[in-house]
Amino acid sequence: RESLKNCFALLDQTKDAENLAQTASGMAECIKNAGGGILRPEEITLMVGKIFAFMDQSLARTESGEKLKADHKKKNAVAGLADDDDDNEDEDQNEEEQLRRNFEEVLGSIMEVAPAEFLPCLPTCAERLRQWVSTQQHKVVGLYLGCDLVNHLKEQSEP
């Protein structure tokens, strides 16, 4: 439990997508290796809420980056300049996408070790699933979430 608290503190302090993704991946492995019975239901609810909040932050950074990229392209087009920053911007977007996948992996690991305790989180998951699958941009992470719900919660995965 203490290491997960430290991970959440680190997630709160860090804004770099690559470092956040590594921390999230480590959290998922920690939860899986700890196994069932370690996390209390109230901790699970709190953790799931925080993970979704971190995912929202990532989505906001992606949206902001896309807006900046579009504005940059407009300015360069008006000035007749080439766009040299596309690779860096695409890398940032890819890092954010990986981060969201790793956060979803944390959710999947919680489902795996504590399926019954995860059930109160289903309405939130169902809402996110609907949102994400309906957009091309976030469909992949939505599908990962759906797969984990079915894989770990089986027939209980229906809200």
Side-chain angles (χ1 to χ4, degrees), residues 74-138:
K74 274 186 196 175
K75 287 178 185 176
N76 283 348
V78 169
L81 301 173
D83 232 353
D84 294 335
D85 291 337
D86 276 352
D87 289 342
N88 289 340
E89 292 166 355
D90 289 342
E91 185 178 321
D92 291 345
Q93 301 306 326
N94 290 340
E95 287 176 359
E96 290 292 346
E97 178 64 27
Q98 185 61 52
L99 170 60
R100 291 189 291 274
R101 288 181 188 184
N102 289 11
F103 278 140
E104 191 287 323
E105 183 184 5
V106 173
L107 296 174
S109 66
I110 296 169
M111 289 178 219
E112 182 179 340
V113 301
E117 294 83 355
F118 191 88
L119 292 178
C121 303
L122 271 182
T124 303
C125 289
E127 178 185 326
R128 296 302 177 112
L129 188 59
R130 277 191 291 279
Q131 289 173 354
W132 295 339
V133 172
S134 68
T135 65
Q136 184 64 34
Q137 187 177 27
H138 309 307

Side-chain angles (χ1 to χ4, degrees), residues 6-159:
N6 291 336
C7 286
F8 275 109
L10 184 61
L11 292 174
D12 282 330
Q13 297 169 2
T14 307
K15 298 301 176 216
D16 177 62
E18 187 175 3
N19 289 333
L20 288 167
Q22 291 172 356
T23 302
S25 183
M27 289 175 67
E29 289 304 312
C30 179
I31 292 167
K32 288 178 199 174
N33 290 331
I38 300 297
L39 299 173
R40 295 187 304 256
E42 62 275 6
E43 290 174 319
I44 289 171
T45 303
L46 184 64
M47 287 174 62
V48 169
K50 285 185 174 189
I51 292 298
F52 279 129
F54 289 130
M55 291 176 95
D56 288 341
Q57 291 171 11
S58 173
L59 291 167
R61 285 190 300 270
T62 296
E63 188 176 308
S64 174
E66 288 173 353
K67 187 177 184 301
L68 287 172
K69 183 178 178 179
D71 291 346
H72 184 73
K73 279 187 175 189
K74 274 186 196 175
K75 287 178 185 176
N76 283 348
V78 169
L81 301 173
D83 232 353
D84 294 335
D85 291 337
D86 276 352
D87 289 342
N88 289 340
E89 292 166 355
D90 289 342
E91 185 178 321
D92 291 345
Q93 301 306 326
N94 290 340
E95 287 176 359
E96 290 292 346
E97 178 64 27
Q98 185 61 52
L99 170 60
R100 291 189 291 274
R101 288 181 188 184
N102 289 11
F103 278 140
E104 191 287 323
E105 183 184 5
V106 173
L107 296 174
S109 66
I110 296 169
M111 289 178 219
E112 182 179 340
V113 301
E117 294 83 355
F118 191 88
L119 292 178
C121 303
L122 271 182
T124 303
C125 289
E127 178 185 326
R128 296 302 177 112
L129 188 59
R130 277 191 291 279
Q131 289 173 354
W132 295 339
V133 172
S134 68
T135 65
Q136 184 64 34
Q137 187 177 27
H138 309 307
K139 188 174 287 197
V140 172
V141 76
L143 291 173
Y144 277 115
L145 178 60
C147 286
D148 275 341
L149 287 166
V150 171
N151 189 35
H152 301 302
L153 303 181
K154 312 283 186 239
E155 62 276 345
Q156 294 178 319
S157 63
E158 290 188 47

